[in-house]
Amino acid sequence: SAVISQKPSRDICQRGTSLTIQCQVDSQVTMMFWYRQQPGQSLTLIATANQGSEATYESGFVIDKFPISRPNLTFSTLTVSNMSPEDSSIYLCSVTGQNQDTQYFGPGTRLTVL
Amino acid sequence: GQQVMQIPQYQHVQEGEDFTTYCNSSTTLSNIQWYKQRPGGHPVFLIQLVKSGEVKKQKRLTFQFGEAKKNSSLHITATQTTDVGTYFCAGPRSNYQLIWGAGTKLIIKP
């Protein structure tokens, strides 16, 4: 399985600012996903990031709020823009495994917005 | 739309007791996957079931996929403290995405 790192692991940010989260994979992968997970809750898919094309966003998530970059097959960023306390959450990136059905996750970024 | 329901939300057990979580999909699934998330950790892939009626074992964990490929269960025999965490089922959606169950949190009573 791929080894995935995320930076930062955690951050405390002020309302109205933006934070960019990086996801680095040790091998080339086609599909990368960004999730949000509130404490004690399940995973909510924000968007699918494909290399060479625009990210595909799920209902309730928009590009202006969560711009995503995917410059190559091993890297992606998610920006949380104009943050409010409601954006406090864990943000996870994942990639598909060899059979493209299973997913492998990065360690997550714990974001607190004051 | 497609939904995956998972129960119970929590299960408190004494160490050594068994644990079971159930997953039910609103549609037939091509496969179902199980993940474990330890407290403070990220989801980790455990297993994928593909065939109707399939049963797979990993040590004390037994995974089943229903005959209609719409439901699944995970059973842990004789729980240990290392089993603590939240167990999620997930089924495939379009474009290699997954639809996730709500998760079942396994809590070991002190």
Side-chain angles (χ1 to χ4, degrees):
Chain A
S1 61
V3 176
I4 306 161
S5 60
Q6 275 185 246
K7 287 197 286 190
S9 58
R10 59 178 62 227
D11 208 341
I12 300 173
C13 300
Q14 295 296 321
R15 179 196 299 260
T17 62
S18 298
L19 176 73
T20 295
I21 302 167
Q22 299 179 4
C23 181
Q24 179 75 54
V25 190
D26 69 342
S27 57
Q28 293 186 339
V29 292
T30 308
M31 311 293 292
M32 291 181 79
F33 304 92
W34 286 99
Y35 288 90
R36 184 168 72 183
Q37 187 178 32
Q38 306 280 11
Q41 302 294 313
S42 187
L43 297 116
T44 301
L45 181 65
I46 297 171
T48 302
N50 303 315
Q51 194 267 337
S53 62
E54 290 220 349
T56 307
Y57 289 83
E58 296 299 301
S59 176
F61 297 96
V62 294
I63 188 170
D64 290 346
K65 175 68 176 176
F66 297 101
I68 287 171
S69 79
R70 180 85 199 270
N72 57 53
L73 291 174
T74 64
F75 187 77
S76 178
T77 67
L78 169 76
T79 299
V80 187
S81 303
N82 188 24
M83 290 184 284
S84 67
E86 292 70 37
D87 295 318
S88 298
S89 190
I90 296 170
Y91 291 84
L92 294 150
C93 68
S94 76
V95 304
T96 48
Q98 276 190 326
N99 70 4
Q100 303 241 12
D101 268 348
T102 56
Q103 291 187 15
Y104 298 91
F105 286 81
T109 296
R110 183 179 294 270
L111 171 62
T112 303
V113 184
L114 302 177
Chain B
Q2 185 184 7
Q3 288 186 326
V4 172
M5 291 147 286
Q6 189 175 355
I7 57 167
Q9 188 177 4
Y10 302 93
Q11 191 166 38
H12 295 76
V13 300
Q14 299 277 2
E15 189 173 3
E17 291 182 337
D18 292 356
F19 161 87
T20 306
T21 173
Y22 300 91
C23 193
N24 195 49
S25 170
S26 59
T27 59
T28 301
L29 300 170
S30 59
N31 69 80
I32 194 154
Q33 301 161 40
W34 287 91
Y35 293 76
K36 177 183 178 181
Q37 186 173 25
R38 293 179 185 271
H42 57 277
V44 174
F45 171 72
L46 293 177
I47 205 161
Q48 181 185 48
L49 304 171
V50 179
K51 298 177 187 174
S52 168
E54 189 169 16
V55 177
K56 285 189 175 179
K57 292 194 175 188
Q58 289 180 350
K59 297 183 181 178
R60 293 175 294 103
L61 278 63
T62 301
F63 303 85
Q64 292 188 320
F65 199 11
E67 294 290 339
K69 300 183 76 173
K70 293 179 73 173
N71 60 297
S72 182
S73 65
L74 158 59
H75 180 82
I76 303 177
T77 304
T79 53
Q80 300 175 358
T81 55
T82 53
D83 297 324
V84 162
T86 301
Y87 293 84
F88 292 98
C89 61
R93 219 177 76 178
S94 60
N95 201 25
Y96 304 110
Q97 297 166 352
L98 293 175
I99 182 163
W100 294 82
T104 297
K105 189 172 184 178
L106 169 58
I107 300 162
I108 304 271
K109 297 178 196 174

